[in-house]
Amino acid sequence: MQTELIALQGPDRALCAVTDTRLFELADGRELAWTEFGVRDGAPVVAFHGSTGSRYHFASLSDVAASKGARLIAPDRPGYGHSAYDSARSYESWARDVGRLADHLGIDRFAVIGHSSGGPNAAGCARFLGDRLVGCAIVSGLAPPEANISKHEMMRSNRIAQRVAPVAPRLMSAMVGAGLRQGSRAPEKALAWMSRTLPACEVAVIERPEIRASLRDDLARPSSTAGRAAVQDLRLELRPWGFCLREIAISVHVWHGDSDRNVVVESGIYLANEIPDATLHKVPREGHWLYFDHFHEILDSMTS
């Protein structure tokens, strides 16, 4: 499946209007899927969704990307959406996949953004693709296990998942997969459950029509391997990452809300303290999805 971008003529430049997902085959035969938003000839930014999201994670931000002159390239990470599951995935192997996607698109230099579980993947790109990156932002991202971040303020469901995934990955995969299938059949019920369990600052975000529509798209299209991919994310996050944060040689902007109960703010503080050239943006009264309100600032931070 491959469709070209449609150029919508505007006064200054062409916007990205994507009619379908685009795919290409990696050297090992896996397919990697992505969608683009923003400006067709803009500054390239590769954006990594969280778990259990997809390329639609950033759909509601297309206008923001366009206003900032950004070409937002949103891939499905392995096992999510239309991207093939990679049983041998690591943060280094994902960085290689991103480099090959950039090569496929004829892009030499680009920026990366990672939200939530996409955060360690962005950090991996900063470590292993640093010579190709013009900027990196980690938004509501996790810290590595050596940080020993307290889980006391974390949502109960996350605490349980982090305990079960390392010792019973098949059980956890089946549970997550069943939940995703149920959510795809009744996305409004899934959103209602989120509204009952999330902090008030998060609920205010997901109640917005454009964001609700984007989340509904994510919920309605789970891949058959999304449960496995989500558990793989957890297991990767909870064991050594394969690199040291102090090895990152480029500038990184760390964004975190101080009301985040999905990934607590201490994770962002740790990342900013350990990465040699990092700037912490601690956002008051914001939760896990702060990027919806601050995406323009996040894009600006990587080019300032």
Side-chain angles (χ1 to χ4, degrees):
M1 182 196 321
Q2 170 130 1
T3 58
E4 294 303 317
L5 299 179
I6 300 172
L8 302 179
Q9 296 304 316
D12 298 312
R13 58 210 316 183
L15 298 181
C16 289
V18 180
T19 58
D20 208 345
T21 300
R22 305 176 72 190
L23 300 174
F24 88 104
E25 189 173 297
L26 294 158
D28 62 3
R30 287 181 295 117
E31 286 189 325
L32 183 65
W34 80 98
T35 297
E36 298 190 25
F37 308 101
V39 180
R40 183 178 187 179
D41 60 348
V45 180
V46 186
F48 309 143
H49 62 81
S51 173
T52 56
S54 76
R55 62 201 179 278
Y56 294 111
H57 203 77
F58 300 95
S60 64
L61 298 167
S62 187
D63 288 347
V64 178
S67 72
K68 293 296 180 180
R71 177 187 181 185
L72 201 62
I73 301 161
D76 285 330
R77 294 193 291 107
Y80 296 105
H82 286 293
S83 287
Y85 182 78
D86 179 7
S87 60
R89 178 164 68 96
S90 67
Y91 296 127
E92 183 175 5
S93 73
W94 173 245
R96 290 196 299 268
D97 287 351
V98 172
R100 288 165 185 148
L101 173 60
D103 292 342
H104 177 76
L105 295 172
I107 296 169
D108 180 31
R109 304 266 289 164
F110 54 96
V112 295
I113 294 174
H115 174 248
S116 192
S117 287
N121 293 273
C125 287
R127 167 60 181 87
F128 297 111
L129 291 178
D131 59 339
R132 298 188 65 174
L133 298 190
V134 298
C136 174
I138 299 173
V139 184
S140 307
L142 300 98
E146 60 267 26
N148 292 316
I149 301 297
S150 171
K151 297 177 174 60
H152 179 69
E153 296 297 326
M154 187 184 293
M155 293 171 58
R156 182 171 178 269
S157 58
N158 286 20
R159 296 198 304 269
I160 293 171
Q162 289 192 2
R163 286 199 299 267
V164 175
V167 297
R170 291 186 179 180
L171 172 63
M172 189 71 188
S173 297
M175 292 171 59
V176 175
L180 290 171
R181 288 190 295 275
Q182 184 176 3
S184 71
R185 291 191 294 268
E188 286 297 335
K189 285 186 178 180
L191 288 168
W193 175 83
M194 292 168 69
S195 293
R196 290 194 300 272
T197 57
L198 291 173
C201 60
E202 307 279 17
V203 175
V205 173
I206 67 173
E207 290 299 326
R208 298 178 197 170
E210 73 282 7
I211 295 171
R212 196 173 185 86
S214 179
L215 292 172
R216 192 183 299 112
D217 281 343
D218 260 350
L219 289 165
R221 298 179 174 90
S223 72
S224 60
T225 57
R228 290 172 67 197
V231 173
Q232 186 184 53
D233 267 335
L234 276 169
R235 299 185 79 194
L236 285 171
E237 292 157 7
L238 294 171
R239 66 191 189 207
W241 288 4
F243 65 95
C244 176
L245 293 174
R246 292 193 174 276
E247 296 170 351
I248 295 175
I250 67 167
S251 176
V252 176
H253 287 263
V254 179
W255 292 78
H256 220 110
D258 66 2
S259 299
D260 193 340
R261 292 184 58 231
N262 194 312
V263 179
V264 295
V265 69
E266 286 77 12
S267 291
I269 294 170
Y270 182 88
L271 292 172
N273 285 337
E274 289 296 307
I275 297 171
D277 185 8
T279 301
L280 175 64
H281 306 265
K282 184 179 175 183
V283 187
R285 298 177 301 282
E286 289 278 10
H288 197 59
W289 290 334
L290 70 90
Y291 70 98
F292 282 119
D293 279 335
H294 296 275
F295 200 62
H296 60 295
E297 299 167 67
I298 294 167
L299 290 174
D300 283 342
S301 72
M302 295 189 297
T303 58
S304 60

